Amino acid sequence: MEVIYVNKSNRHTFLAENEPSVIALGFFDGVHLGHQQVIKEAKKIADEKQLQLACMSFFPHPKEVLKRDKKKMQYLMPMIVKQRILKKLGVKKFYIVQFDQDFASLTPEQFVRKYLIDFGVKYAVAGFDFNYGQFGKGNMDRIKEDSKGLIEGIKVEKVEFGGEKISSTLIRKLISSGKMDIVHRYLGEHYHIQGKIFSTKNSVEVVASPYYLLPPPGVYEVSITNGDEIDNQVVLVTQETPKIIFSAHNNRLLVDQEDIHIGWIKRLSPGMFTILEEQPSLSQEA
């Protein structure tokens, strides 16, 4: 998959390289089941029309640029992980557009002309609530009009679970409240993060890599992998400086590793971390 970072200064340099495409539009944080449906619909059209499948996302998140408060935006994953997932879903070209005040001030017609028509887009696919252009005035119902008939817009209807819309906002709320046992219903798998390992005499500490969201302080059952093996363990998430603490026992997968992948399974009662320090790991018990 070709990854292209686009801003107002370099936009013109990519225009000659573009070919007719179907493009999936969205921020795609977490690439949850709703996002995956958008990609699948775009891929279906691309295969039928024999066009290239492209995807366009934006960075930083529009809320970071447009919001009035200074609260830091919480992301579900870094861009490099999003790229890997999109590649697996069949995307051939991934545009990452710099979202700044100048980009936000584009009218819907300007956005469609400069970032879709100029990029060879023939079909644009997005979720039912996707908006574009200044003040979010553009939507999938008017994209054909904004492109003067050059682009066909396909709107993917709401994807729900249990009557609730699947969204990155909902998933962030679930993680922030520690409800790790139900996140997979919306993501399609358990929430995963990557972090760096720091060993001490009595424990192994992991600091999450940037752009991952940690659950609140508490005790959790997690799965860990070093790329070859998977093991289930119990960890403690601290409150002061957020980090993940493993017991000094039964952490052979963490030995001689710099990075580790952690999948969050469920929250446990607070006493479980102390109790299980003296017990075999969950995978060894099974």
Side-chain angles (χ1 to χ4, degrees):
M1 182 179 75
E2 184 180 5
V3 179
I4 301 173
Y5 288 84
V6 184
N7 57 50
K8 63 180 181 181
S9 300
N10 70 6
R11 184 190 69 90
H12 66 281
T13 64
F14 304 112
L15 303 186
E17 304 171 5
N18 293 320
E19 57 186 276
S21 66
V22 178
I23 199 161
L25 298 168
F27 194 79
F28 301 110
D29 190 24
V31 199
H32 56 60
L33 293 177
H35 296 147
Q36 291 175 36
Q37 188 59 40
V38 171
I39 302 294
K40 288 176 182 177
E41 182 64 28
K43 187 176 188 307
K44 178 183 175 183
I45 297 169
D47 290 343
E48 289 175 353
K49 304 295 182 181
Q50 296 187 326
L51 297 173
Q52 183 182 63
L53 175 59
C55 180
M56 181 176 287
S57 189
F58 314 91
F59 193 84
H61 196 286
K63 289 182 179 179
E64 278 202 284
V65 177
L66 302 176
K67 67 184 180 180
R68 295 178 181 176
D69 61 83
K70 299 298 182 183
K71 187 176 179 181
K72 184 177 176 62
M73 176 70 192
Q74 294 180 313
Y75 293 88
L76 294 174
M77 60 173 53
M79 189 64 73
I80 188 66
V81 177
K82 188 187 300 187
Q83 292 173 23
R84 292 187 197 127
I85 298 174
L86 293 176
K87 182 179 180 179
K88 287 182 180 179
L89 291 171
V91 175
K92 300 301 182 184
K93 186 173 287 189
F94 182 30
Y95 298 104
I96 303 169
V97 179
Q98 181 180 0
F99 194 99
D100 54 20
Q101 290 293 349
D102 288 336
F103 182 80
S105 67
L106 294 174
T107 66
E109 296 84 357
Q110 287 174 327
F111 166 75
V112 169
R113 184 177 73 253
K114 291 186 174 184
Y115 290 89
L116 298 183
I117 295 174
D118 283 357
F119 281 72
V121 174
K122 302 302 179 184
Y123 296 84
V125 184
F128 73 101
D129 54 355
F130 178 78
N131 298 101
Y132 58 87
Q134 191 176 36
F135 306 122
K137 289 181 178 179
N139 57 60
M140 297 309 291
D141 291 327
R142 58 174 279 182
I143 200 165
K144 188 170 186 176
E145 178 184 350
D146 287 340
S147 67
K148 294 181 171 53
L150 296 176
I151 297 175
E152 191 73 35
I154 292 89
K155 178 171 63 176
V156 176
E157 296 301 328
K158 178 168 53 177
V159 179
E160 298 179 324
F161 181 86
E164 197 161 17
K165 185 188 83 166
I166 297 177
S167 69
S168 301
T169 299
L170 172 62
I171 293 169
R172 290 186 197 105
K173 287 180 179 178
L174 292 174
I175 294 173
S176 296
S177 58
K179 297 178 180 178
M180 310 308 292
D181 56 322
I182 61 175
V183 170
H184 66 92
R185 300 173 185 173
Y186 305 89
L187 273 178
E189 62 180 5
H190 290 296
Y191 181 58
H192 286 80
I193 71 164
Q194 185 173 349
K196 290 214 168 284
I197 298 172
F198 300 90
S199 297
T200 66
K201 181 178 180 181
N202 297 315
S203 66
V204 175
E205 299 177 357
V206 174
V207 176
S209 302
Y211 298 108
Y212 282 116
L213 177 61
L214 281 184
V219 178
Y220 297 86
E221 179 185 347
V222 302
S223 65
I224 61 172
T225 177
N226 60 7
D228 298 315
E229 299 178 77
I230 299 176
D231 189 26
N232 280 24
Q233 294 201 22
V234 173
V235 299
L236 174 69
V237 177
T238 62
Q239 184 166 9
E240 297 78 18
T241 302
K243 53 189 168 185
I244 306 151
I245 299 179
F246 288 80
S247 164
H249 308 284
N250 305 313
N251 53 27
R252 62 182 180 79
L253 291 192
L254 303 176
V255 175
D256 298 326
Q257 298 289 324
E258 293 184 0
D259 301 285
I260 197 73
H261 292 268
I262 301 174
W264 300 85
I265 299 173
K266 62 182 177 181
R267 194 171 191 172
L268 303 172
S269 61
M272 290 298 291
F273 187 74
T274 302
I275 293 171
L276 287 169
E277 280 187 317
E278 306 304 324
Q279 302 293 328
S281 70
L282 295 176
S283 62
Q284 291 172 325
E285 288 180 338

